[in-house]
Structure formats: C-alpha cells, structure tokens
Amino acid sequence: MKQLITHYGPQQLKFTMYVYPLPYHHNAYFAASSGAVVASLGKDIWKFADLIFQNQAQWFNYASRNMTANQVIDGMAGLALQCCGISNDDFNNQFIMVDLQCRADYSVMAARGVYGSPLFYINDAFQWAGSTTTLQQWITIIDNVIESYSQPHLNYLG
C-alpha cells in the first residue's frame, strides 16, 4: 500500500484503510484502537502496523489468554513507544479519546459491508484483492478505477 500511495499521490488516490477487528481475534480491537492512537497523534501508522505484524505471535488468542485487557493495552503502548516515541501517558490518555470513535467506526464498517480485514476501498470503491495481489496487479486495478471515474456518469436520483 505504501508503494501505491507514493506511486499515485493524494490527487489521484484516496486510500482508506479499514481496520475491522474481528471478534474472534481477542486482541484485534486493542490493536485497531492502538493504531488509531498512533495516527491521531500524527505518528507513522505504517511503522506501528509493521511492528504489530512483526510481533503478532505474542498477541494471538492462545499466547495472550492469561493477559488482562489492561496488560494488552500496556503492551500496545510499549510498541507505540518503541516505534513512534509515544509515551505511555500520552498513549493511554489518547486511547480513552479514540475508544468511542473506534466503536462508531466499527458500526459504519459493518453497515458498508466490511466483513474482514484487510479490505480495501480505492476512491470510495470496494476492491477485491488479497494478500498475494502484486504491486502491478494493484496498479491495474487502480488505473481501471481512475479511468471509470473520468468517464461521464448518469446520476439518477429517483
């Protein structure tokens, strides 16, 4: 995704990342909310996401089965400090602030038909692509979306 954002730039590509924490992944909501904390504090969400994925084995259901919610959040705060320099106090204060927004986002995503993570919307259009989709395949997909938006459209408001 980072390569695509760089390739097209914000004038051509509106990239929306829906982090949809699936309920059967015990810590997914905490990870999603932690990402929202990092983004809301203006830090590099990609660094944080990369670090989460590098350390995901410790957050799997079985690996963290004896951890409390606060212990998981503290662990996420440690990752935010490690990658982005966010203090534990700043992280925890902001976590409280983003919690309600994350819950609202979850409802919006469910209403839009988001059913898993990651799912991708390019210029507000859902794109079916998987983890094996190559950069060139993404470029083809996006070029088609951009081309379709440049064509005249009939709008019917009935």
Side-chain angles (χ1 to χ4, degrees):
M1 288 301 120
K2 292 182 269 189
Q3 291 173 317
L4 290 171
I5 292 168
T6 301
H7 178 79
Y8 287 99
Q11 290 74 30
Q12 285 190 295
L13 181 68
K14 177 186 175 189
F15 176 76
T16 304
M17 180 172 74
Y18 288 104
V19 182
Y20 193 69
L22 299 172
Y24 48 83
H25 294 303
H26 176 69
N27 298 318
Y29 179 78
F30 299 126
S33 297
S34 297
V37 167
V38 169
S40 71
L41 293 172
K43 303 295 182 177
D44 189 339
I45 186 62
W46 296 109
K47 280 185 184 178
F48 184 74
D50 289 344
L51 192 58
I52 287 279
F53 283 111
Q54 289 167 13
N55 292 280
Q56 68 181 340
Q58 76 186 55
W59 306 112
F60 287 150
N61 291 348
Y62 187 77
S64 64
R65 70 188 179 283
N66 294 322
M67 295 175 76
T68 66
N70 285 339
Q71 289 171 320
V72 173
I73 293 167
D74 286 346
M76 298 287 168
L79 294 176
L81 176 64
Q82 180 182 339
C83 77
C84 304
I86 299 171
S87 73
N88 284 350
D89 285 343
D90 287 345
F91 182 91
N92 288 320
N93 289 336
Q94 194 65 15
F95 194 93
I96 294 165
M97 301 300 290
V98 303
D99 182 57
L100 288 177
Q101 183 61 50
C102 289
R103 292 173 192 275
D105 289 348
Y106 186 90
S107 297
V108 169
M109 287 183 275
R112 284 196 78 176
V114 175
Y115 56 86
S117 186
L119 288 182
F120 303 97
Y121 283 77
I122 305 294
N123 293 353
D124 291 325
F126 172 72
Q127 303 303 314
W128 178 255
S131 60
T132 60
T133 305
T134 67
L135 177 62
Q136 189 54 53
Q137 289 169 323
W138 269 113
I139 288 172
T140 300
I141 290 168
I142 294 169
D143 285 348
N144 288 332
V145 170
I146 291 170
E147 176 65 23
S148 74
Y149 275 88
S150 68
Q151 300 298 318
H153 288 84
L154 175 64
N155 292 322
Y156 174 74
L157 303 174

